[in-house]
Amino acid sequence: MASDRTKALKGAVRTPRRGSEAPTIADVARAAACSPMTVSRVINGEDSVREETRELVLEAINKLNYTPNRAARSLAGGAQVRIGLLFDNPSASYLAEFLMGALEEAGRRDVHLEVQSCDSTDEAKPMMRKMFESGISGFILPPPLCDDQSVLDLVAELDTVAIAVGPGKADGTHGSVTIDDFQAAYDMTRHIIGLGHKRIGFIIGNPEQVASGRRLGGFCQAMQDAGLDVPDELLVQGRFNYRSGMAAAERLLALDPRPTAIFASNDDMAAATVAVAHRQHLDVPNDISVCGFDDTDLARSIWPELTTIRQPIRAMTAWAVAAIVRALRSKRSAELPKIERAVMPYDLIRRESDAAPALSAPTAKSGLQT
Amino acid sequence: MASDRTKALKGAVRTPRRGSEAPTIADVARAAACSPMTVSRVINGEDSVREETRELVLEAINKLNYTPNRAARSLAGGAQVRIGLLFDNPSASYLAEFLMGALEEAGRRDVHLEVQSCDSTDEAKPMMRKMFESGISGFILPPPLCDDQSVLDLVAELDTVAIAVGPGKADGTHGSVTIDDFQAAYDMTRHIIGLGHKRIGFIIGNPEQVASGRRLGGFCQAMQDAGLDVPDELLVQGRFNYRSGMAAAERLLALDPRPTAIFASNDDMAAATVAVAHRQHLDVPNDISVCGFDDTDLARSIWPELTTIRQPIRAMTAWAVAAIVRALRSKRSAELPKIERAVMPYDLIRRESDAAPALSAPTAKSGLQT
DNA sequence: CCATCATATGGTAGCGCTAACACAAAGCGT
DNA sequence: ACGCTTTGTGTTAGCGCTACCATATGATGG
């Protein structure tokens, strides 16, 4: 008898093993009176579905509160898309924004993000190799990695998909998302000039990053267009970090006549400038205006809050993820992988660190002080 | 003839659609001369595999450079695990570390992370509800969310799995990872006392966060144990941000006699203290020592770099992800979901913002200054 | 010596979705 | 009228893995 039962069970229906009771595509299909395939098509926005049918399906989806199963999707859809994200010593606030944008989009697109941090560009390259070999299908390259020629060469060699977040090379091996650094710096400079400043110091960013040059360029152009002179002494080299900002600010503030405003190429250096100014008992913004760039967390966490340029970092990385997915798709369908480039809008955020220069020309104040 | 061909094709093998040529579990099974099932068991570390067989399989895995397909795994394994991560205005540097830890572990465990930011605890609750309804199976709660009773109540109501990153309540509704804030503050205070300081100011953290009280407690205990007095004037309330740190520092530095050291409950407030000190032409650390807590990015980006307590934030969030996965698993297998709690080790990081007090008692220096 | 159990392994049937095809119906040129 | 394409939908067969059972083998116990 026991064996009879066993035999009977053999042909019988096994216990099904649905993970949860979440609705599946089949449930939706039933509710919409069509095939699962049609539902799939609607979900994926294919255009070969009659409008009528589509609405029926959407209604069913809504009623059942259906969400596609990500795992099944990427399993059936072929390769799982994994995107590598390498960081080389970014400022934390930049990183946070960056990750949020990437994560959000990755969630939406059902892409897996592989995040790695490294300590130098040289370390980054073998890591990229390893990630590529382990099946990473695309990379997002934040600065300064996207500014390093050898990294870009590696991208070309691997023939992988990469998006530079920041100005990339236009050699067609990779896409890029960036803001118009030149124009943004130009606008900020005009804003400062508009306040009445004439002697404006500029702290240059890390020379290894392309954006630094662009920002410098925008500054110089705006000054020139306003008929203002930019003596070399007003251009001081920094490296995008607080430390370098302090050194640069000290040099600028020791100048005679002292500049009435300082435009730093990023917020970290601007924050350092504010600190140095305070140490010298200068009031910001009344004795000296300070402007930054990036609108990272820091810009709002110090006092006075920084007037700065806001980069839509989150939107930029989200775009980068989406662009990689698109590129991968077109690569698989044998079209030549298209390289996309995007230029995002920026904003000039006016806060409390800038003001019109003091009425008494600062020249009066500073006698010989050597 | 054409129709003949069509009919022939009908029964024929379709084009297979392997996404990539990555090895599958079947390939490994073939190489190890066993069934895919056995390979699966080895991968998942089940113990019902003979040691001999296991090694054979591992060898094959290595040779083929096989990695399991995540999508297939979670599809077959039942429910996909999705973990919600809600942020309420964290400092960017904290967020960055936090995310890195969570992402890393989520990658390893093949868990999907759903990150959301919100602007207040009140906003957080409806968001949690919505996420829960959309199938989020667990939450990681960073401070200050994990300190809010109504949020914890919601966790209990939803009967979902949650891990507080920070000291949680011990009511058994949720797990937690934290460091011993009391002991860490105690250690730091002893360190400062050991330097020779006797008059030490303390900036308290946001009163809504449990950790604040613990840190304060540790400070007071250490002072008491050293036989040092803590007059009320040396305890100033802050809110964990730069702004509040500035205000607090101004009050402390205006004291007569001025404290020779200030211990701020986090790095942001310590950084603010350094800035205020500098503005008052005080040298850090020679005129005044400043110590922070957390070892966020900021601690190393200002000058002098802060002596602070390092929390292993990354490890903590990684642990949180792993704990949620474990809890979910035990919940599914009908065991009562176990609530895990972990206390992680911390480090006292000595940098440049602390030193022995100046030989001349500061009292001498500060006359009446009103 | 056979029932009973533990241990190690295999077979099968899905998990939920989509690629690739099949096909019916409609449109269009000749 | 016939082929030919186009459009919208259905059918089938997986994607790579694991849950669930079955089974082979040895160990135990009465």
Side-chain angles (χ1 to χ4, degrees), chain A residues 2 9 34 69 80 82 98 147 153 159 208 210 230 234 237 295 333 336 352-353:
Chain A
L9 271 174
C34 67
N69 180 315
Q80 53 189 330
R82 293 195 299 151
F98 203 99
D147 292 309
D153 286 347
D159 189 28
E208 280 157 29
V210 176
V230 185
L234 285 181
Q237 183 69 54
D295 194 28
S333 58
L336 66 169
E352 300 154 3
S353 66

Side-chain angles (χ1 to χ4, degrees), chain B residues 317-339:
Chain B
T317 45
W319 185 92
V321 170
I324 288 190
V325 171
R326 279 194 296 271
L328 252 25
R329 202 158 290 172
S330 70
K331 198 178 186 183
R332 239 196 301 164
S333 58
E335 304 163 30
L336 66 168
K338 56 184 167 190
I339 307 299

